[in-house]
Amino acid sequence: MGGFLYHDKTCQSFSSESIQYSLQAIKNKKLADGRCMSIKEVIDRDGFTLYLFGKIGLNTENIDHYPNGDFVLYTGTLIYKSQTGLKALQNLYSDFDDSSFQFNDFQGHCCVFIYKQGKLNIWNDYFGIYHVFTDKNKGVISSSFLSVVRLSKSKNIDHQAMYEYVNEGASYGDDTFIEEVKLLDAFYIHELISDSSTRKKYTYKEADNKGFDDLVEQSADSLTSYFKVLKNCFDHRVCSALSGGYDSRLILALLSKVDINPYLYVYGNKSSPDVRIAEFIAAKENLKLNTDNRVMEKLSVDEFYQLTKDEYFFCDGHGPNGVLSNGSEFVARSVRSNVASLQLNGGGGEIFRNFWKLPDREIAIETFLAGRFDRYPESVFKSNFRTQKYLLNLANKVQLMMNMSNAKMTRKDIEKLYVYMRIKYWMGYNTTIQNSRSFALIPLTEPKFAFPSFDIPFKYKESGVFEAAMIQRLNPELASYNSVYGYNFSNKPTAMEKFKNALTINLPASLQSKLRKARYQLASTKFPYYVDQQLLKSILPQSSGYVQEFYKIDNIRDPLMLSRLHTVNLVLSDPF
C-alpha cells in the first residue's frame, strides 16, 4: 500500500464531505505523467473505517484477510523474516501476540495494522522513519500530514515547531507546526479503539568489545546478508544514487557484492565533482549512469500555479525544502519511480562516521544546540523570537526523545542523536513520500545496523576510516577510486586531512555559531523566481501573511527558508 487514512468512529464523527476532503489530500498525490493515488480498499467496521491507497504505478499485495474477520496489512516497505508482501504478512500475523511479540525480525520503513482476536494494533518501524500522523486522541491517523490537518477542528500554529521547521527544515519531538497534529510515537505498539499503548518494540543487546578489523568484518558481513534479502525480495529493480562520497559508494559496493545491477543516477552538471567522479566510476565498472542535469524553464503564472498545487500534495504540505520549486525534483522522482520498484537512499552512512563533528567527550545539550542550531542573526526574526528560549525548548525535546535523565550527552548519546533526530525527521520525510510511489528504504538506518554503530569507538569513526574500511573489504576496486574529499577509500586519510578535521571538531560552540551567522550574512540575495513573494501573492493572495508576523522576510537570505515559510502559509490557508 502507498498510504492510508484511519478514522475511529467512537472518538469523533465527521461528515462524508469532511472525510472526502481529507481523502482528497492523498488522492491528489501524483507522478509527473498524471497518474494519481487511488483507494484500493476500504475496511469498514463498527468502531472504525480504514481507507487504503495503492502505490502509484505498482500493483502490490500488502493486505491479507482471514475468514474470521481478522486482517493484517502494511503501507510502505516491510521485510519480515527475510520476506516481503503476502509471505511477510502471513508470518507476521502468525507470530503476533501483543504480549510477547519480538521485533528482531522486523525490518523496513512502514506502518502495520493487525486486527486479531478483536483487537486492532498499529505501529511503524522502530525509529519512526516512515512517518505516521495523528490527532492528539488517535481518532484520526494517516500516512498523510495534510489528510490529518484537514480533519482538525482548528489549525493553531505550534510556535516552537514552526520555528524549527522554517529554520531547520523539520520539527522535532514528534510535533508538527500545526499544534493539533503529531507524529505517532514510534517506540510503541498502539492498541486502537481502546486507546491503550503497549510495550516498547525492540530489545537491544550491547555490542561485543571487538577490535577494528573484527568490527569491520562483522558490519560488512551483516550488511551483505541484508542486501541478499533485498535481492531476493526485489530482484534487480533497484535504484540508487552515486556521488563522490562515502555512503553511495558503500551502497554500490553492497549491491555489487550480491550481484544487483541498479539504476544509478547523479545530480549536477559536467563540472560538478560528484558528476565527474560518478561518471568515472560508472565507466570503469561498466555501469549505466543517468546524469540528472535537468534545466527547467521559468514557468508562466498559470503554469506556476499548477506546479505549486502539484508540489503541495506531492510534498504533503511540508518537507525540508518546502513546496516551492522549479519542478525538477518532481519530474526526477517520477522518472525513477517508473524504472525501479525499490528506491534506496544511501544516507545514514554517517552512523559509521563522526557526523556532528564533535570531540570524544561529554557535551551539554544546550552547548551542542548552540553550535549547530543558532545560525541565524536576530535580524531575520521579529521581536517575539528569543534565541535562548528557542534553544532551551529544543534541548528539552532532545532530552525527551533520547530518554535522558540529565542535560549532558555522553559520546554514545551523540551517536544516537544522529539517528533519533537527523535521520528520523529529515530523511524519514523523503522515504515516506517515496513510499507512496514505490518501495523505499534507507538500509543503513535499520536497527540491526544502527544500534551496534553506537558502540563503535570514536577513533574508528574519525575521518571516515571505518566506513572506508568496509568499502575496501566489500569491493577493493570501488574503494580505490577517488572521492570528493580529494583521496580514495583504500588509503588512510592524510596528516593534513586529520589536522583539518581536528580543527573542525574542536571549534567552540560559540565560534561555530558566529561562523554560521557570518556565512549566512554573506549569502547571495539573488533568489530563484519560484520563491518570489509577489509571484506567490499574484497566484495565491489568500496564502500570505500568517507566518510573516514571526519573520522579517526582506532579511531572509536562504531560498529554502523562504520556501518553508510560504509552505506554512499554504497549509494554514489550504487554498487547493
Side-chain angles (χ1 to χ4, degrees):
M1 298 295 178
F4 71 92
L5 172 66
Y6 163 86
H7 170 218
D8 183 342
K9 298 177 188 177
T10 68
C11 188
Q12 187 176 352
S13 61
F14 296 100
S15 67
S16 59
E17 291 80 6
S18 295
I19 293 292
Q20 289 305 314
Y21 185 54
S22 174
L23 292 171
Q24 200 63 45
I26 306 177
K27 291 178 180 179
N28 284 343
K29 291 177 181 288
K30 67 180 184 179
L31 298 178
D33 61 14
R35 285 178 294 163
C36 298
M37 294 190 73
S38 60
I39 293 177
K40 188 171 184 178
E41 187 169 337
V42 179
I43 301 175
D44 194 17
R45 301 288 172 89
D46 288 342
F48 66 89
T49 304
L50 184 55
Y51 303 88
L52 301 170
F53 289 78
K55 293 180 184 292
I56 307 175
L58 281 182
N59 186 19
T60 58
E61 296 180 298
N62 300 143
I63 184 168
D64 198 23
H65 289 280
Y66 295 86
N68 63 355
D70 288 358
F71 63 83
V72 57
L73 66 92
Y74 70 92
T75 63
T77 305
L78 166 69
I79 299 170
Y80 184 67
K81 289 189 170 178
S82 302
Q83 301 282 350
T84 192
L86 280 180
K87 289 183 179 178
L89 288 174
Q90 289 161 359
N91 288 333
L92 191 58
Y93 178 82
S94 176
D95 292 348
F96 182 75
D97 181 324
D98 59 4
S99 63
S100 60
F101 182 68
Q102 296 296 314
F103 274 79
N104 299 60
D105 293 318
F106 187 94
Q107 295 165 335
H109 306 315
C110 60
C111 178
V112 171
F113 282 88
I114 286 188
Y115 187 77
K116 187 175 182 180
Q117 297 175 345
K119 294 180 180 180
L120 179 62
N121 290 278
I122 178 179
W123 69 86
N124 52 344
D125 54 278
Y126 181 80
F127 291 121
I129 290 171
Y130 184 87
H131 290 178
V132 177
F133 300 92
T134 177
D135 63 8
K136 292 181 179 179
N137 299 316
K138 288 186 281 191
V140 175
I141 306 175
S142 180
S143 56
S144 166
F145 168 65
L146 285 177
S147 187
V148 179
V149 169
R150 286 185 163 187
L151 285 177
S152 299
K153 287 186 175 179
S154 55
K155 289 189 287 189
N156 295 301
I157 297 176
D158 181 321
H159 291 183
Q160 174 68 24
M162 180 272 298
Y163 280 126
E164 291 165 7
Y165 174 68
V166 176
N167 294 1
E168 305 297 333
S171 299
Y172 300 107
D174 290 351
D175 293 325
T176 74
F177 56 78
I178 300 298
E179 192 175 299
E180 292 78 10
V181 181
K182 306 292 180 183
L183 281 172
L184 188 71
D185 190 336
F187 295 123
Y188 292 89
I189 302 172
H190 300 268
E191 185 181 321
L192 302 178
I193 306 175
S194 62
D195 194 32
S196 61
S197 293
T198 59
R199 60 183 175 76
K200 289 195 172 183
K201 299 187 306 193
Y202 194 87
T203 302
Y204 167 52
K205 181 182 177 182
E206 295 284 331
D208 297 328
N209 240 343
K210 293 186 176 182
F212 179 81
D213 291 339
D214 288 338
L215 281 173
V216 169
E217 179 182 359
Q218 176 183 292
S219 299
D221 290 352
S222 181
L223 280 163
T224 301
S225 296
Y226 176 84
F227 272 71
K228 286 178 180 177
V229 172
L230 296 187
K231 182 180 181 181
N232 179 58
C233 291
F234 301 101
D235 196 25
H236 288 273
R237 293 200 65 206
V238 176
C239 174
S240 182
L242 179 61
S243 67
Y246 286 91
D247 300 345
S248 66
R249 193 86 60 93
L250 177 58
I251 294 293
L252 183 58
L254 287 160
L255 291 169
S256 172
K257 186 76 173 177
V258 300
D259 296 320
I260 292 177
N261 184 17
Y263 175 95
L264 294 173
Y265 67 92
V266 62
Y267 285 115
N269 56 43
K270 292 290 183 182
S271 63
S272 163
D274 278 320
V275 171
R276 290 202 307 269
I277 291 169
E279 289 183 342
F280 179 82
I281 293 172
K284 285 287 186 178
E285 296 294 314
N286 196 27
L287 297 167
K288 183 180 178 182
L289 178 70
N290 299 273
T291 301
D292 194 328
N293 186 25
R294 194 174 281 106
V295 177
M296 307 297 287
E297 295 182 2
K298 185 175 179 179
L299 302 177
S300 69
V301 171
D302 289 343
E303 290 171 331
F304 182 66
Y305 174 87
Q306 185 59 51
L307 173 64
T308 303
K309 179 180 178 180
D310 290 343
E311 290 274 24
Y312 179 69
F313 293 109
F314 176 85
C315 298
D316 199 30
H318 62 303
N321 295 342
V323 306
L324 302 181
S325 78
N326 63 1
S328 60
E329 186 65 11
F330 179 56
V331 174
R333 287 197 187 192
S334 296
V335 169
R336 295 199 295 271
S337 296
N338 288 331
V339 298
S341 58
L342 176 63
Q343 311 288 320
L344 294 185
N345 185 335
E350 289 91 343
I351 62 172
F352 301 118
R353 307 202 303 276
N354 180 13
F355 172 78
W356 297 112
K357 300 293 184 183
L358 292 172
D360 188 14
R361 57 174 179 264
E362 285 189 342
I363 185 172
I365 296 174
E366 285 192 61
T367 302
F368 160 74
L369 292 174
R372 297 291 304 195
F373 292 86
D374 181 16
R375 57 197 185 99
Y376 296 110
E378 294 284 347
S379 60
V380 169
F381 307 96
K382 293 195 174 175
S383 58
N384 46 10
F385 180 80
R386 295 287 182 273
T387 300
Q388 288 308 310
K389 182 181 179 182
Y390 171 73
L391 294 176
L392 178 60
N393 289 339
L394 192 50
N396 291 334
K397 286 189 177 186
V398 169
Q399 201 165 340
L400 283 172
M401 73 174 76
M402 298 281 288
N403 195 26
M404 294 170 58
S405 57
N406 61 64
K408 275 202 168 183
M409 292 192 293
T410 64
R411 183 67 227 184
K412 186 171 181 176
D413 290 329
I414 294 167
E415 300 303 313
K416 290 168 67 175
L417 190 63
Y418 171 65
V419 177
Y420 284 68
M421 191 174 190
R422 176 75 176 187
I423 287 178
K424 175 177 180 176
Y425 298 108
W426 261 70
M427 296 185 192
Y429 162 81
N430 284 316
T431 302
T432 305
I433 295 297
Q434 191 58 51
N435 262 302
S436 67
R437 298 159 179 78
S438 58
F439 295 108
L441 292 170
I442 315 175
L444 303 178
T445 65
E446 296 282 8
K448 67 182 297 183
F449 310 130
F451 278 123
S453 78
F454 302 152
D455 293 313
I456 296 173
F458 172 82
K459 61 183 178 181
Y460 298 163
K461 292 188 174 185
E462 270 302 86
S463 302
V465 170
F466 189 86
E467 192 169 5
M470 282 199 297
I471 299 169
Q472 171 70 21
R473 177 178 175 81
L474 291 162
N475 191 319
E477 191 67 25
L478 279 178
S480 71
Y481 301 135
N482 201 17
S483 73
V484 291
Y485 305 101
Y487 53 86
N488 63 42
F489 299 140
S490 295
N491 302 315
K492 292 182 179 180
T494 63
M496 178 56 70
E497 178 63 26
K498 290 181 178 179
F499 175 72
K500 285 161 53 180
N501 198 50
L503 280 180
T504 301
I505 67 174
N506 287 293
L507 274 180
S510 58
L511 184 55
Q512 289 180 38
S513 175
K514 288 178 181 177
L515 288 172
R516 292 178 194 278
K517 289 177 180 178
R519 283 198 295 269
Y520 181 84
Q521 293 282 41
L522 294 172
S524 171
T525 56
K526 187 177 180 180
F527 295 149
Y529 78 92
Y530 50 81
V531 293
D532 180 74
Q533 191 177 7
Q534 296 306 314
L535 174 61
L536 201 61
K537 277 184 177 180
S538 71
I539 63 168
L540 298 165
Q542 71 274 42
S543 300
S544 60
Y546 295 99
V547 184
Q548 278 83 327
E549 64 180 281
F550 303 101
Y551 289 87
K552 297 177 181 176
I553 290 185
D554 291 342
N555 293 342
I556 293 178
R557 293 173 175 263
D558 179 357
L560 292 181
M561 191 179 191
L562 275 175
S563 176
R564 294 191 294 264
L565 184 149
H566 290 308
T567 296
V568 177
N569 282 333
L570 287 169
V571 171
L572 289 168
S573 62
D574 201 9
F576 305 113

